């Protein structure tokens, strides 16, 4: 039978790197094509690279039909699950596949709510993936992709905001997930410029983004030079006000002493002054 290569299906999963393709070619030439190619009718679903290499070198191969597929969506889900289980798939690729799976499952759930009960039951029976499975939470996505929750967050950010050049860099392994997620917060033009300058500049751009995020936190925790100056100036004003108040209190105390002296004796006499002598000529 003639095998049909659907370009959309072929591109649905990221292609092998040149090194991976060469390793697969060497393996097929040495050991032959041991795994059967998976077909949906006459459409090739799994084994595009093996099929191309076998055609190139005239190597024999076997095929197997998957009769459970009812739609292209079923095919996509099956392809996703197959690649999520492979060790050679990178963390970023697994995260992207899990996000695609979430979209498909969410779409099926919405259609199941809107469709008649009979249609929903029929679709659930035909689907290779349980319609009731939910991937709405990051924890569920992380389990499906065998990743950590914070890695899923970073991959979502990269998918939503990263320039194509940054995505290509993380796919090739030039930068880490965390670095790519940091760079993705920059304007697209700056991302592209950093990527064009090379992986070292991408790493520096990620470092600048992280430092910029940490700076406001440090300023809140530790007062800056201006704050310290303001605090010192405020302290000097407080000391001056206290000194002024002390002088006022000393003046008030002096005035009170004078009043006390006036009450105890004649003006000018202090407390304890000798009483006036008796007049000697005064009659008894």
């Amino acid at each position: 039978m003639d095998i049909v290569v659907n370009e959309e299906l072929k591109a649905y999963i990221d292609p092998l790197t040149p090194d991976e393709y060469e390793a697969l070619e060497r393996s097929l030439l040495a050991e032959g094509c041991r795994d059967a190619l998976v077909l949906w009718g006459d459409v090739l679903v799994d084994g595009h690279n093996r099929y191309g290499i076998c055609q190139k070198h005239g190597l024999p191969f076997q095929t197997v039909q998957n009769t459970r597929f009812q739609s292209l969506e079923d095919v996509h889900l099956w392809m996703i699950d197959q690649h999520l289980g492979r060790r050679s798939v990178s963390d970023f690729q697994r995260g992207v596949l899990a996000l695609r799976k979430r979209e498909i499952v969410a779409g099926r759930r919405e259609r199941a709510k809107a469709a008649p009960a009979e249609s929903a039951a029929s679709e659930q029976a035909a689907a290779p993936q349980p319609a009731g499975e939910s991937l709405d939470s990051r924890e569920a996505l992380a389990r499906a992709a065998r990743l950590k929750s914070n890695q899923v967050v970073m991959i979502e950010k990269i998918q939503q905001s990263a320039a194509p050049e940054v995505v290509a860099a993380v796919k090739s392994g030039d930068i880490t997930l965390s670095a790519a997620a940091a760079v993705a917060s920059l304007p697209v033009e700056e991302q592209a410029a950093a990527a064009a300058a090379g992986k070292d500049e991408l790493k520096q751009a990620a470092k600048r983004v992280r430092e910029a995020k940490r700076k406001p936190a440090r300023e809140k925790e530790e007062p800056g030079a201006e704050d310290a100056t303001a605090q010192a100036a405020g302290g000097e004003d407080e000391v001056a006000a206290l000194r002024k108040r002390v002088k006022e209190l000393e003046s008030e105390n002096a005035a009170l002493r004078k009043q006390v002296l006036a009450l105890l004796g004649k003006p000018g006499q202090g407390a304890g002054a000798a009483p006036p002598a008796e007049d000697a000529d005064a009659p008894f």
Side-chain angles (χ1 to χ4, degrees):
M1 64 177 297
D2 293 331
I3 294 178
V4 176
V5 175
N6 184 309
E7 293 300 328
E8 188 272 338
L9 285 180
K10 183 178 179 180
Y12 194 70
I13 304 297
D14 287 341
L16 298 178
T17 65
D19 289 342
E20 290 171 339
Y21 187 89
E22 290 177 6
L24 177 61
E25 187 172 27
R26 289 195 300 269
S27 174
L28 292 178
L29 288 172
E31 303 176 12
C33 186
R34 295 179 297 178
D35 297 325
L37 310 182
V38 179
L39 302 178
W40 177 32
D42 58 355
V43 176
L44 181 60
V45 171
D46 185 59
H48 291 89
N49 293 302
R50 284 175 286 141
Y51 177 67
I53 294 171
C54 288
Q55 290 289 94
K56 175 181 176 182
H57 297 285
L59 300 176
F61 57 86
Q62 295 179 337
T63 62
V64 61
Q65 287 283 340
N66 190 319
T67 58
R68 295 188 62 195
F69 298 147
Q70 301 296 318
S71 66
L72 191 60
E73 208 173 60
D74 292 347
V75 175
H76 286 162
L77 280 174
W78 185 87
M79 293 176 71
I80 288 171
D81 286 340
Q82 289 296 307
H83 283 78
L84 284 176
R86 292 175 179 171
R87 290 178 296 177
S88 60
V89 179
S90 69
D91 289 347
F92 179 73
Q93 289 175 318
R94 285 203 305 273
V96 171
L97 291 173
L99 291 172
R100 289 179 183 174
K101 182 175 181 178
R102 180 180 66 179
E103 293 177 2
I104 296 173
V105 172
R108 287 192 162 181
R109 288 166 63 88
E110 290 300 318
R111 291 196 301 273
K113 291 178 182 179
E118 295 79 6
S119 298
S122 175
E123 182 175 348
Q124 290 179 22
Q129 185 65 38
E133 180 180 353
S134 174
L135 295 176
D136 294 337
S137 69
R138 289 196 178 101
E139 291 74 17
L141 277 172
R143 286 194 298 271
R146 293 183 288 117
L147 299 172
K148 296 179 181 178
S149 294
N150 66 323
Q151 291 177 303
V152 172
V153 174
M154 290 186 287
I155 292 171
E156 283 185 294
K157 184 173 183 179
I158 295 168
Q159 283 286 93
Q160 294 169 0
S161 306
E165 296 85 351
V166 176
V167 174
V170 74
K171 282 183 178 180
S172 65
D174 287 344
I175 56 174
T176 62
L177 282 178
S178 60
V183 174
S185 63
L186 296 172
V188 175
E189 296 78 8
E190 292 185 31
Q191 296 183 45
K199 63 181 181 181
D200 290 338
E201 178 56 30
L202 276 173
K203 293 176 182 177
Q204 289 300 315
K207 182 179 179 181
R208 290 193 294 269
V209 171
R210 292 174 183 138
E211 289 177 348
K213 289 181 178 179
R214 284 195 294 264
K215 185 176 180 181
R218 287 199 302 266
E219 290 177 349
K220 288 181 181 178
E221 294 173 359
E222 302 176 4
E226 293 182 0
D227 293 338
T229 302
Q231 289 180 1
E236 292 176 359
D237 291 342
E238 186 175 353
V239 171
L242 289 173
R243 287 174 178 170
K244 182 180 178 181
R245 181 57 180 159
V246 169
K247 289 182 179 180
E248 291 174 351
L249 291 173
E250 289 176 347
S251 298
E252 291 178 4
N253 287 336
L256 288 172
R257 281 197 297 270
K258 288 181 180 180
Q259 291 178 8
V260 171
L261 290 175
L263 292 172
L264 293 177
K266 293 181 180 179
Q269 287 183 319
E278 294 183 357
D279 191 347
D281 295 331
F284 292 98

